[in-house]
């Protein structure tokens, strides 16, 4: 397995000349006798070689500590932790940066930082205090502290009353400016301190440190050595006895290594009991001391991943430009449809004549992402802007028709298609509609609607197919065979399911319907054509047959229930006088046309296909070049156009157009 590593290096503390610290106490002497207030409610605790002040009260209440401090220009920097609980108005911390009274429960004047309020948008807020009441909000943080945890906070004030709030998560987090503001009501101070309000279950969960000591030990890199091993390199020599298996945790799974061995004074090899899982991982490192036992590494998490094994369908051809307009270039866009990290090293792309390696080195295709492969990525970058491009010597794709083929490093076919001129793509890219529907279906592609002629490196703009299919034509081939033509390519599994089909009847009043045939089999004779075979014969009767097709589904998953009527007739050869001219119009008025009405007064049905019609001056003309059945006892109107249907909607009419011989007046 190959690994691509993301390394996080802690930044050095920000030093701003001209600032001075207003108050510090790292509690290293574990003595707070110079503080005033609820001294008995606090104890000292050591974490990673650092002494923190921990509240240790009994029951619910309010505890505070204050100490003389007269500095008001400069900065205050401290650490506060709400250990395993969510702050609220009933469990909150208030750090009084400036106070004119040592009793922090009195009607004092000054400024405080509050951490704790009801609701899910809890942030640090700097407030001005007038006579013990919160008078104005000077600064509002943005770091959400509603879930508790530890935070490093820095607040700066200059002589003009300009305030700045910086916050970082964790003791050694990197500070980020969250708000600035101005309030210069109070310019002097006598005391610094803090006050905790707490319930009985939170009385020992507040931690403080009023001097931040950044550990100088850092991790410079993490690299994969084998399927089970990683090397961690530190910025300084480390104490080998401090590097225990419990100090390293691999996620996902919260797995501790089975051994930690120093390869050199600054490098530890971490061996896990089983293979490191492919995909996204992170290594959390804590409690590592330097060789002098003077500083300790802060909790540090390094994300990294191991390439996943490709699974069928993970990568698809998502878009291609074969006929670029001026200013653009040919390209093939690949899309990773999966949640896996894939390596495209030694993958090949090309047409039916040649293939080109798209990357000779590791190239990561991230989950649900795109890469645009082209022989001219510079032109694409100029025209389309920033995207993930991959330069490769691709063959030129023929405008009229060609193949596009993609293979992995093992020579396995990943995706392919063969297009022709009917697909479109003239001066525009072809975009794929659906990532699951195979790429070799023409229906799955269409011209990009983007004004930039394509969307390389971004989501396709072509609209998905959401139109369900329907029956275009139904032909009764014989008494046991129906032929259906569909509006589009159908999903094979649904159209071949006989349970989706049924035959029923719609008899006229008084008619006696014959037995109903059952579906014997369904055959898909073309992508959009079906042959339905019945187990018994259809019979002619006074009424219609009805075909119901449930769950008719296209290749995009669009489905519909179709109900269509059809007739079945037993066709006979007509004898003289069985079909007669029943009515005609030779001198039509406005809104009418000439016509000849035929009437079948026999008890048989006839097909008028290839019957002819003429007057005594013209030549014989076919009444209907296609099958047209004139049932027993029914009429049909022959006319030169369809004008009559306006006045007589629904009449059976054959529009003979130029074949109709005009009737002389």
């Amino acid at each position: 397995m190959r690994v691509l590593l993301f390394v996080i290096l802690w930044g050095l503390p920000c030093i701003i000349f001209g600032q001075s610290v207003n108050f510090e106490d790292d509690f290293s002497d574990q003595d707070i006798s110079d503080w005033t207030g609820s001294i008995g409610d606090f104890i000292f605790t050591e974490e990673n070689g650092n002494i923190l002040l921990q509240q240790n009260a009994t029951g619910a209440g309010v505890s505070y500590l204050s100490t003389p401090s007269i500095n008001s220009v400069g900065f205050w920097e401290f650490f506060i932790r709400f250990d395993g609980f969510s702050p609220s108005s009933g469990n909150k911390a208030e750090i009084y940066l400036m106070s004119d009274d040592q009793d922090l429960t009195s009607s004092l004047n000054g400024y405080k930082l509050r951490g704790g309020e009801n609701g899910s948008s809890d942030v640090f807020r700097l407030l001005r205090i007038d006579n013990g009441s919160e008078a104005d909000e000077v600064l509002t943080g943005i770091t959400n502290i509603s879930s508790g945890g530890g935070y490093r906070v820095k607040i700066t004030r200059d002589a003009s009353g300009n305030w700045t709030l910086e916050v970082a998560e964790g003791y050694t987090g990197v500070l980020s400016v969250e708000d600035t503001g101005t309030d210069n009501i109070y310019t002097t101070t006598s005391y610094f301190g803090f006050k905790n309000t707490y319930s009985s279950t939170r009385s020992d969960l507040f931690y403080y440190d009023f001097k931040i000591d950044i550990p100088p030990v850092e991790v410079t890199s993490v690299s994969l050595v084998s399927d089970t091993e990683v090397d961690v390199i530190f910025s300084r020599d480390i104490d080998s006895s401090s590097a225990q298996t419990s100090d390293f945790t691999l996620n996902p799974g919260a797995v501790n290594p089975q051994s930690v061995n120093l390869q050199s004074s600054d490098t530890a090899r971490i061996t896990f009991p089983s293979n490191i899982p492919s995909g996204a991982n992170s290594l959390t490192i804590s409690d590592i001391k330097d060789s002098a036992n003077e500083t300790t590494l802060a909790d540090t998490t390094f994300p990294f991943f191991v390439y996943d094994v490709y699974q069928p369908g993970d990568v698809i051809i998502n878009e291609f430009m074969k006929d670029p307009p001026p200013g653009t270039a040919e390209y093939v866009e690949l899309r990773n449809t999966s949640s896996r990290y894939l390596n495209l090293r030694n993958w090949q792309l090309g047409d039916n004549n040649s293939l080109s390696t798209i990357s000779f080195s590791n190239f990561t295709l991230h989950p649900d992402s795109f890469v645009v492969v082209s022989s001219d990525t510079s032109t694409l970058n100029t025209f389309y802007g920033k995207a993930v491009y991959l330069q490769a010597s691709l063959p030129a794709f023929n405008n009229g028709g060609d193949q596009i083929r993609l293979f992995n490093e093992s020579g396995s076919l990943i995706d392919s298609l063969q297009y022709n001129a009917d697909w479109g793509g003239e001066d525009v890219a072809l975009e794929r509609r659906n990532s699951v529907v195979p790429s070799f279906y023409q229906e799955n592609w269409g011209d990009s609607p983007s004004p930039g002629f394509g969307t390389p490196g971004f989501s396709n703009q072509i609209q998905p197919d959401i139109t369900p299919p329907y029956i275009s034509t139904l032909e009764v081939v014989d008494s046991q065979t129906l032929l259906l033509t569909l509006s589009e390519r159908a999903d094979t599994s649904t159209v071949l399911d006989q349970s989706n089909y049924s035959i029923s009847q719609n008899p006229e009043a008084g008619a006696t319907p014959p037995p109903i045939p059952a579906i014997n089999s369904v055959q898909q004779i073309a992508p959009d054509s079906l042959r339905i075979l019945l187990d018994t014969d259809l019979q002619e009767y006074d009424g219609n047959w009805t075909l119901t097709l449930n769950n008719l589904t296209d290749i995009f998953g669009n489905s519909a229930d179709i109900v269509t009527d059809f007739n079945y007739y037993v066709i006979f050869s007509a004898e003289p006088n069985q079909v007669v001219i029943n009515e005609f119009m030779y001198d039509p008025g406005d809104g009418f046309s000439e016509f000849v009405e035929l009437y079948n007064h026999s008890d048989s049905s006839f097909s008028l296909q290839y019957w002819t019609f003429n007057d005594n001056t013209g030549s014989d003309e076919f009444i209907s070049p296609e099958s047209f059945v004139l049932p027993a006892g029914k009429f049909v109107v022959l006319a030169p156009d369809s004008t009559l249907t306006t006045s007589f909607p629904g009449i059976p009419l054959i529009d003979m157009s130029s074949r109709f011989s005009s009737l002389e007046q």
Side-chain angles (χ1 to χ4, degrees), residues 262-560:
L262 290 188
Q263 304 300 298
S264 63
S265 59
D266 64 352
T267 303
R269 178 158 296 177
I270 317 302
T271 304
F272 291 94
S274 59
N275 287 355
I276 298 171
S278 60
N281 294 271
S282 65
L283 183 65
T284 299
I285 309 170
S286 62
D287 201 30
I288 306 299
K289 295 178 173 58
D290 66 14
S291 58
N293 278 312
E294 294 176 344
T295 58
T296 303
L297 176 73
D299 290 359
T300 304
T301 298
F302 283 83
F304 68 97
F305 61 84
V306 179
Y307 286 116
D308 291 286
V309 177
Y310 170 83
Q311 301 294 325
D314 283 353
V315 179
I316 62 171
I317 299 169
N318 194 60
E319 181 180 337
F320 64 95
M321 176 78 81
K322 62 180 176 64
D323 183 19
T328 65
E330 289 190 2
Y331 63 82
V332 177
E333 178 191 76
L334 307 180
R335 178 186 170 196
N336 183 355
T337 64
S338 75
S339 60
R340 285 176 276 276
Y341 294 91
L342 302 173
N343 190 358
L344 300 189
R345 181 179 181 179
N346 293 330
W347 283 38
Q348 292 187 308
L349 183 66
D351 59 10
N352 58 337
N353 293 317
S354 64
L355 295 172
S356 299
T357 300
I358 61 177
S359 180
F360 290 97
S361 59
N362 290 343
F363 186 91
T364 304
L365 186 57
H366 289 258
D368 192 24
S369 67
F370 307 91
V371 61
V372 182
V373 186
S374 175
S375 300
D376 190 358
T377 57
S378 176
T379 294
L380 294 177
N381 185 71
T382 300
F383 191 88
Y384 293 104
K386 186 177 180 180
V388 179
Y389 298 110
L390 191 55
Q391 181 84 21
S393 299
L394 297 183
F397 296 105
N398 297 323
N399 294 346
D402 209 338
Q403 291 182 359
I404 300 178
R405 301 180 298 160
L406 176 67
F407 295 86
N408 67 6
E409 76 283 358
S410 301
S412 299
L413 182 65
I414 301 302
D415 199 7
S416 67
L417 58 90
Q418 182 167 333
Y419 65 85
N420 57 44
D422 293 339
W423 285 39
E426 182 177 353
D427 294 327
V428 68
L430 283 162
E431 292 185 349
R432 186 170 182 157
R433 299 181 189 276
N434 188 295
S435 61
V436 178
V437 174
S439 60
F440 46 77
Y441 288 146
Q442 178 180 344
E443 300 94 323
N444 203 19
W445 295 88
D447 289 349
S448 171
S450 169
F453 314 109
T455 56
F458 301 92
S459 298
N460 291 347
Q461 293 186 8
I462 192 169
Q463 294 299 308
D465 186 318
I466 58 173
T467 303
Y470 57 88
I471 297 174
S472 299
T473 62
L474 188 157
E475 178 184 352
V476 182
V477 178
D478 55 44
S479 62
Q480 293 189 18
T481 308
L482 305 179
L483 187 63
L484 307 184
T485 302
L486 308 179
S487 60
E488 57 183 310
R489 185 186 299 267
D491 173 63
T492 299
S493 63
T494 57
V495 297
L496 294 183
D497 186 349
Q498 290 181 217
S499 66
N500 288 333
Y501 298 81
S502 63
I503 300 287
S504 59
Q505 298 169 330
N506 184 23
E508 295 180 0
T512 301
I516 299 176
I519 305 297
N520 185 53
S521 66
V522 179
Q523 303 168 353
Q524 187 173 15
I525 59 177
D528 61 351
S529 299
L530 306 175
R531 181 186 290 121
I532 300 175
L533 301 179
L534 307 179
D535 65 344
T536 57
D537 289 336
L538 292 166
Q539 296 184 33
E540 182 177 353
Y541 78 105
D542 291 333
N544 299 323
W545 294 97
T546 297
L547 171 67
T548 299
L549 203 173
N550 293 317
N551 196 30
L552 176 59
T553 305
D554 63 16
I555 59 174
F556 298 102
N558 305 307
S559 62

